[in-house]
PDB file of all heavy atoms in Angstrom:
ATOM      1  N   HIS A  47      35.857  38.566 103.393  1.00 86.00           N
ATOM      2  CA  HIS A  47      36.085  38.269 104.872  1.00 86.00           C
ATOM      3  C   HIS A  47      37.510  38.445 105.327  1.00 86.00           C
ATOM      4  O   HIS A  47      37.784  39.177 106.209  1.00 86.00           O
ATOM      5  CB  HIS A  47      35.640  36.741 105.049  1.00 86.00           C
ATOM      6  CG  HIS A  47      35.068  36.466 106.374  1.00 86.00           C
ATOM      7  ND1 HIS A  47      34.559  35.240 106.779  1.00 86.00           N
ATOM      8  CD2 HIS A  47      34.914  37.243 107.508  1.00 86.00           C
ATOM      9  CE1 HIS A  47      34.155  35.314 108.024  1.00 86.00           C
ATOM     10  NE2 HIS A  47      34.361  36.530 108.506  1.00 86.00           N
ATOM     11  N   LEU A  48      38.421  37.707 104.655  1.00 90.00           N
ATOM     12  CA  LEU A  48      39.851  37.810 105.026  1.00 90.00           C
ATOM     13  C   LEU A  48      40.433  39.291 104.902  1.00 90.00           C
ATOM     14  O   LEU A  48      41.053  39.787 105.757  1.00 90.00           O
ATOM     15  CB  LEU A  48      40.700  36.850 104.328  1.00 90.00           C
ATOM     16  CG  LEU A  48      42.235  36.878 104.524  1.00 90.00           C
ATOM     17  CD1 LEU A  48      42.561  36.632 106.015  1.00 90.00           C
ATOM     18  CD2 LEU A  48      42.915  35.844 103.649  1.00 90.00           C
ATOM     19  N   PRO A  49      40.156  39.904 103.740  1.00 90.00           N
ATOM     20  CA  PRO A  49      40.696  41.314 103.562  1.00 90.00           C
ATOM     21  C   PRO A  49      40.231  42.288 104.629  1.00 90.00           C
ATOM     22  O   PRO A  49      41.054  43.073 105.077  1.00 90.00           O
ATOM     23  CB  PRO A  49      40.219  41.715 102.179  1.00 90.00           C
ATOM     24  CG  PRO A  49      39.972  40.443 101.447  1.00 90.00           C
ATOM     25  CD  PRO A  49      39.548  39.489 102.506  1.00 90.00           C
ATOM     26  N   GLU A  50      38.976  42.161 105.056  1.00 93.00           N
ATOM     27  CA  GLU A  50      38.537  43.102 106.146  1.00 93.00           C
ATOM     28  C   GLU A  50      39.269  42.904 107.392  1.00 93.00           C
ATOM     29  O   GLU A  50      39.648  43.980 108.053  1.00 93.00           O
ATOM     30  CB  GLU A  50      36.997  42.893 106.324  1.00 93.00           C
ATOM     31  CG  GLU A  50      36.453  43.919 107.302  1.00 93.00           C
ATOM     32  CD  GLU A  50      35.022  43.661 107.670  1.00 93.00           C
ATOM     33  OE1 GLU A  50      34.455  42.595 107.462  1.00 93.00           O
ATOM     34  OE2 GLU A  50      34.422  44.644 108.140  1.00 93.00           O
ATOM     35  N   TYR A  51      39.587  41.694 107.805  1.00 94.00           N
ATOM     36  CA  TYR A  51      40.412  41.468 108.986  1.00 94.00           C
ATOM     37  C   TYR A  51      41.820  42.011 108.811  1.00 94.00           C
ATOM     38  O   TYR A  51      42.335  42.613 109.752  1.00 94.00           O
ATOM     39  CB  TYR A  51      40.373  39.991 109.401  1.00 94.00           C
ATOM     40  CG  TYR A  51      39.166  39.631 110.170  1.00 94.00           C
ATOM     41  CD1 TYR A  51      38.069  39.086 109.579  1.00 94.00           C
ATOM     42  CD2 TYR A  51      39.055  39.951 111.542  1.00 94.00           C
ATOM     43  CE1 TYR A  51      36.926  38.791 110.349  1.00 94.00           C
ATOM     44  CE2 TYR A  51      37.918  39.643 112.254  1.00 94.00           C
ATOM     45  CZ  TYR A  51      36.842  39.027 111.641  1.00 94.00           C
ATOM     46  OH  TYR A  51      35.700  38.798 112.404  1.00 94.00           O
ATOM     47  N   HIS A  52      42.344  41.841 107.642  1.00 92.00           N
ATOM     48  CA  HIS A  52      43.682  42.370 107.390  1.00 92.00           C
ATOM     49  C   HIS A  52      43.691  43.920 107.476  1.00 92.00           C
ATOM     50  O   HIS A  52      44.540  44.486 108.127  1.00 92.00           O
ATOM     51  CB  HIS A  52      44.225  41.895 106.036  1.00 92.00           C
ATOM     52  CG  HIS A  52      45.619  42.352 105.668  1.00 92.00           C
ATOM     53  ND1 HIS A  52      45.896  43.166 104.759  1.00 92.00           N
ATOM     54  CD2 HIS A  52      46.756  41.980 106.302  1.00 92.00           C
ATOM     55  CE1 HIS A  52      47.183  43.375 104.726  1.00 92.00           C
ATOM     56  NE2 HIS A  52      47.705  42.677 105.615  1.00 92.00           N
ATOM     57  N   GLN A  53      42.728  44.502 106.811  1.00 93.00           N
ATOM     58  CA  GLN A  53      42.612  45.928 106.788  1.00 93.00           C
ATOM     59  C   GLN A  53      42.304  46.552 108.147  1.00 93.00           C
ATOM     60  O   GLN A  53      42.771  47.702 108.461  1.00 93.00           O
ATOM     61  CB  GLN A  53      41.493  46.381 105.794  1.00 93.00           C
ATOM     62  CG  GLN A  53      41.904  46.128 104.323  1.00 93.00           C
ATOM     63  CD  GLN A  53      40.651  46.084 103.474  1.00 93.00           C
ATOM     64  OE1 GLN A  53      39.537  46.270 103.912  1.00 93.00           O
ATOM     65  NE2 GLN A  53      40.864  45.819 102.193  1.00 93.00           N
ATOM     66  N   LYS A  54      41.587  45.894 108.986  1.00 95.00           N
ATOM     67  CA  LYS A  54      41.175  46.431 110.249  1.00 95.00           C
ATOM     68  C   LYS A  54      41.935  45.871 111.440  1.00 95.00           C
ATOM     69  O   LYS A  54      41.611  46.048 112.599  1.00 95.00           O
ATOM     70  CB  LYS A  54      39.614  46.191 110.517  1.00 95.00           C
ATOM     71  CG  LYS A  54      38.778  46.967 109.489  1.00 95.00           C
ATOM     72  CD  LYS A  54      37.381  46.878 109.732  1.00 95.00           C
ATOM     73  CE  LYS A  54      36.612  47.733 108.714  1.00 95.00           C
ATOM     74  NZ  LYS A  54      35.270  47.945 108.979  1.00 95.00           N
ATOM     75  N   TYR A  55      43.093  45.264 111.083  1.00 95.00           N
ATOM     76  CA  TYR A  55      43.961  44.628 112.151  1.00 95.00           C
ATOM     77  C   TYR A  55      44.342  45.735 113.259  1.00 95.00           C
ATOM     78  O   TYR A  55      44.228  45.399 114.453  1.00 95.00           O
ATOM     79  CB  TYR A  55      45.149  44.022 111.559  1.00 95.00           C
ATOM     80  CG  TYR A  55      46.140  43.506 112.552  1.00 95.00           C
ATOM     81  CD1 TYR A  55      45.906  42.202 113.135  1.00 95.00           C
ATOM     82  CD2 TYR A  55      47.227  44.174 113.000  1.00 95.00           C
ATOM     83  CE1 TYR A  55      46.760  41.685 114.113  1.00 95.00           C
ATOM     84  CE2 TYR A  55      48.035  43.699 114.034  1.00 95.00           C
ATOM     85  CZ  TYR A  55      47.836  42.478 114.509  1.00 95.00           C
ATOM     86  OH  TYR A  55      48.625  41.977 115.509  1.00 95.00           O
ATOM     87  N   GLN A  56      44.784  46.837 112.831  1.00 96.00           N
ATOM     88  CA  GLN A  56      45.236  47.857 113.873  1.00 96.00           C
ATOM     89  C   GLN A  56      44.056  48.309 114.691  1.00 96.00           C
ATOM     90  O   GLN A  56      44.225  48.510 115.850  1.00 96.00           O
ATOM     91  CB  GLN A  56      45.789  49.048 113.123  1.00 96.00           C
ATOM     92  CG  GLN A  56      47.191  48.712 112.442  1.00 96.00           C
ATOM     93  CD  GLN A  56      48.210  48.258 113.476  1.00 96.00           C
ATOM     94  OE1 GLN A  56      48.203  48.618 114.619  1.00 96.00           O
ATOM     95  NE2 GLN A  56      49.044  47.351 113.021  1.00 96.00           N
ATOM     96  N   ASP A  57      42.828  48.422 114.119  1.00 97.00           N
ATOM     97  CA  ASP A  57      41.646  48.770 114.918  1.00 97.00           C
ATOM     98  C   ASP A  57      41.347  47.771 115.966  1.00 97.00           C
ATOM     99  O   ASP A  57      40.981  48.049 117.076  1.00 97.00           O
ATOM    100  CB  ASP A  57      40.450  49.042 114.010  1.00 97.00           C
ATOM    101  CG  ASP A  57      40.603  50.129 113.003  1.00 97.00           C
ATOM    102  OD1 ASP A  57      41.403  51.117 113.330  1.00 97.00           O
ATOM    103  OD2 ASP A  57      40.061  50.086 111.914  1.00 97.00           O
ATOM    104  N   LEU A  58      41.530  46.457 115.545  1.00 97.00           N
ATOM    105  CA  LEU A  58      41.273  45.373 116.453  1.00 97.00           C
ATOM    106  C   LEU A  58      42.286  45.398 117.589  1.00 97.00           C
ATOM    107  O   LEU A  58      41.980  45.202 118.742  1.00 97.00           O
ATOM    108  CB  LEU A  58      41.297  44.056 115.733  1.00 97.00           C
ATOM    109  CG  LEU A  58      40.125  43.745 114.793  1.00 97.00           C
ATOM    110  CD1 LEU A  58      40.408  42.665 113.781  1.00 97.00           C
ATOM    111  CD2 LEU A  58      38.833  43.438 115.618  1.00 97.00           C
ATOM    112  N   ALA A  59      43.565  45.634 117.243  1.00 96.00           N
ATOM    113  CA  ALA A  59      44.660  45.669 118.226  1.00 96.00           C
ATOM    114  C   ALA A  59      44.430  46.850 119.222  1.00 96.00           C
ATOM    115  O   ALA A  59      44.598  46.684 120.425  1.00 96.00           O
ATOM    116  CB  ALA A  59      45.967  45.840 117.542  1.00 96.00           C
ATOM    117  N   LYS A  60      43.986  47.966 118.737  1.00 97.00           N
ATOM    118  CA  LYS A  60      43.650  49.122 119.651  1.00 97.00           C
ATOM    119  C   LYS A  60      42.517  48.776 120.593  1.00 97.00           C
ATOM    120  O   LYS A  60      42.483  49.351 121.697  1.00 97.00           O
ATOM    121  CB  LYS A  60      43.280  50.315 118.734  1.00 97.00           C
ATOM    122  CG  LYS A  60      44.496  50.971 118.079  1.00 97.00           C
ATOM    123  CD  LYS A  60      43.978  52.096 117.241  1.00 97.00           C
ATOM    124  CE  LYS A  60      45.111  52.625 116.385  1.00 97.00           C
ATOM    125  NZ  LYS A  60      44.628  53.671 115.415  1.00 97.00           N
ATOM    126  N   LYS A  61      41.644  47.857 120.257  1.00 96.00           N
ATOM    127  CA  LYS A  61      40.603  47.411 121.145  1.00 96.00           C
ATOM    128  C   LYS A  61      41.019  46.233 122.015  1.00 96.00           C
ATOM    129  O   LYS A  61      40.186  45.706 122.736  1.00 96.00           O
ATOM    130  CB  LYS A  61      39.370  47.058 120.294  1.00 96.00           C
ATOM    131  CG  LYS A  61      38.704  48.165 119.565  1.00 96.00           C
ATOM    132  CD  LYS A  61      37.711  48.813 120.460  1.00 96.00           C
ATOM    133  CE  LYS A  61      36.829  49.771 119.640  1.00 96.00           C
ATOM    134  NZ  LYS A  61      35.654  50.088 120.325  1.00 96.00           N
ATOM    135  N   GLY A  62      42.291  45.916 121.988  1.00 96.00           N
ATOM    136  CA  GLY A  62      42.776  44.881 122.918  1.00 96.00           C
ATOM    137  C   GLY A  62      42.969  43.484 122.405  1.00 96.00           C
ATOM    138  O   GLY A  62      43.265  42.542 123.054  1.00 96.00           O
ATOM    139  N   ILE A  63      42.716  43.343 121.079  1.00 97.00           N
ATOM    140  CA  ILE A  63      42.945  42.013 120.497  1.00 97.00           C
ATOM    141  C   ILE A  63      44.355  41.736 120.232  1.00 97.00           C
ATOM    142  O   ILE A  63      45.141  42.486 119.669  1.00 97.00           O
ATOM    143  CB  ILE A  63      42.195  41.945 119.085  1.00 97.00           C
ATOM    144  CG1 ILE A  63      40.673  42.084 119.231  1.00 97.00           C
ATOM    145  CG2 ILE A  63      42.521  40.580 118.299  1.00 97.00           C
ATOM    146  CD1 ILE A  63      39.970  40.985 120.131  1.00 97.00           C
ATOM    147  N   ASP A  64      44.833  40.578 120.812  1.00 96.00           N
ATOM    148  CA  ASP A  64      46.228  40.154 120.727  1.00 96.00           C
ATOM    149  C   ASP A  64      46.504  39.363 119.452  1.00 96.00           C
ATOM    150  O   ASP A  64      47.668  39.455 118.936  1.00 96.00           O
ATOM    151  CB  ASP A  64      46.591  39.288 121.961  1.00 96.00           C
ATOM    152  CG  ASP A  64      46.470  40.081 123.184  1.00 96.00           C
ATOM    153  OD1 ASP A  64      47.152  41.055 123.379  1.00 96.00           O
ATOM    154  OD2 ASP A  64      45.666  39.678 124.070  1.00 96.00           O
ATOM    155  N   GLN A  65      45.567  38.592 118.995  1.00 94.00           N
ATOM    156  CA  GLN A  65      45.811  37.713 117.768  1.00 94.00           C
ATOM    157  C   GLN A  65      44.523  37.649 116.984  1.00 94.00           C
ATOM    158  O   GLN A  65      43.433  37.623 117.543  1.00 94.00           O
ATOM    159  CB  GLN A  65      46.213  36.332 118.167  1.00 94.00           C
ATOM    160  CG  GLN A  65      47.573  36.169 118.744  1.00 94.00           C
ATOM    161  CD  GLN A  65      47.886  34.697 119.113  1.00 94.00           C
ATOM    162  OE1 GLN A  65      47.145  33.981 119.659  1.00 94.00           O
ATOM    163  NE2 GLN A  65      49.143  34.409 118.786  1.00 94.00           N
ATOM    164  N   VAL A  66      44.702  37.523 115.659  1.00 95.00           N
ATOM    165  CA  VAL A  66      43.603  37.232 114.732  1.00 95.00           C
ATOM    166  C   VAL A  66      43.947  35.880 114.032  1.00 95.00           C
ATOM    167  O   VAL A  66      45.014  35.782 113.443  1.00 95.00           O
ATOM    168  CB  VAL A  66      43.346  38.369 113.772  1.00 95.00           C
ATOM    169  CG1 VAL A  66      42.273  38.024 112.784  1.00 95.00           C
ATOM    170  CG2 VAL A  66      43.092  39.716 114.489  1.00 95.00           C
ATOM    171  N   VAL A  67      43.006  35.012 114.044  1.00 94.00           N
ATOM    172  CA  VAL A  67      43.205  33.651 113.495  1.00 94.00           C
ATOM    173  C   VAL A  67      42.109  33.389 112.453  1.00 94.00           C
ATOM    174  O   VAL A  67      40.919  33.520 112.785  1.00 94.00           O
ATOM    175  CB  VAL A  67      43.218  32.567 114.563  1.00 94.00           C
ATOM    176  CG1 VAL A  67      43.363  31.216 113.913  1.00 94.00           C
ATOM    177  CG2 VAL A  67      44.286  32.845 115.624  1.00 94.00           C
ATOM    178  N   CYS A  68      42.490  33.046 111.248  1.00 93.00           N
ATOM    179  CA  CYS A  68      41.612  32.640 110.189  1.00 93.00           C
ATOM    180  C   CYS A  68      41.666  31.083 110.144  1.00 93.00           C
ATOM    181  O   CYS A  68      42.783  30.533 109.971  1.00 93.00           O
ATOM    182  CB  CYS A  68      41.970  33.252 108.874  1.00 93.00           C
ATOM    183  SG  CYS A  68      40.947  32.656 107.480  1.00 93.00           S
ATOM    184  N   ILE A  69      40.561  30.423 110.199  1.00 93.00           N
ATOM    185  CA  ILE A  69      40.546  29.005 110.188  1.00 93.00           C
ATOM    186  C   ILE A  69      39.651  28.497 109.097  1.00 93.00           C
ATOM    187  O   ILE A  69      38.597  29.069 108.806  1.00 93.00           O
ATOM    188  CB  ILE A  69      40.116  28.385 111.572  1.00 93.00           C
ATOM    189  CG1 ILE A  69      40.327  26.903 111.612  1.00 93.00           C
ATOM    190  CG2 ILE A  69      38.668  28.756 111.929  1.00 93.00           C
ATOM    191  CD1 ILE A  69      40.207  26.309 113.028  1.00 93.00           C
ATOM    192  N   SER A  70      40.077  27.524 108.482  1.00 92.00           N
ATOM    193  CA  SER A  70      39.290  26.871 107.328  1.00 92.00           C
ATOM    194  C   SER A  70      39.494  25.360 107.327  1.00 92.00           C
ATOM    195  O   SER A  70      40.626  24.899 107.869  1.00 92.00           O
ATOM    196  CB  SER A  70      39.614  27.493 105.992  1.00 92.00           C
ATOM    197  OG  SER A  70      38.825  26.881 104.958  1.00 92.00           O
ATOM    198  N   THR A  71      38.700  24.610 106.736  1.00 91.00           N
ATOM    199  CA  THR A  71      38.849  23.209 106.661  1.00 91.00           C
ATOM    200  C   THR A  71      39.757  22.773 105.483  1.00 91.00           C
ATOM    201  O   THR A  71      39.662  21.641 105.003  1.00 91.00           O
ATOM    202  CB  THR A  71      37.526  22.501 106.591  1.00 91.00           C
ATOM    203  OG1 THR A  71      36.735  23.039 105.539  1.00 91.00           O
ATOM    204  CG2 THR A  71      36.783  22.494 107.908  1.00 91.00           C
ATOM    205  N   ALA A  72      40.660  23.662 105.062  1.00 87.00           N
ATOM    206  CA  ALA A  72      41.638  23.339 104.100  1.00 87.00           C
ATOM    207  C   ALA A  72      42.896  22.811 104.825  1.00 87.00           C
ATOM    208  O   ALA A  72      42.905  22.883 106.102  1.00 87.00           O
ATOM    209  CB  ALA A  72      42.015  24.604 103.358  1.00 87.00           C
ATOM    210  N   ASP A  73      43.906  22.325 104.039  1.00 87.00           N
ATOM    211  CA  ASP A  73      45.026  21.855 104.753  1.00 87.00           C
ATOM    212  C   ASP A  73      46.021  22.978 104.953  1.00 87.00           C
ATOM    213  O   ASP A  73      45.817  24.117 104.509  1.00 87.00           O
ATOM    214  CB  ASP A  73      45.755  20.716 103.956  1.00 87.00           C
ATOM    215  CG  ASP A  73      46.202  21.171 102.565  1.00 87.00           C
ATOM    216  OD1 ASP A  73      47.088  22.014 102.463  1.00 87.00           O
ATOM    217  OD2 ASP A  73      45.707  20.645 101.581  1.00 87.00           O
TER     218      ASP A  73
END
Side-chain angles (χ1 to χ4, degrees):
H47 211 178
L48 178 59
E50 184 184 18
Y51 276 97
H52 183 247
Q53 293 161 359
K54 295 185 178 190
Y55 176 82
Q56 291 301 329
D57 296 331
L58 291 162
K60 286 177 188 173
K61 293 272 193 164
I63 296 299
D64 298 300
Q65 290 181 318
V66 176
V67 179
C68 175
I69 190 167
S70 182
T71 50
D73 63 65

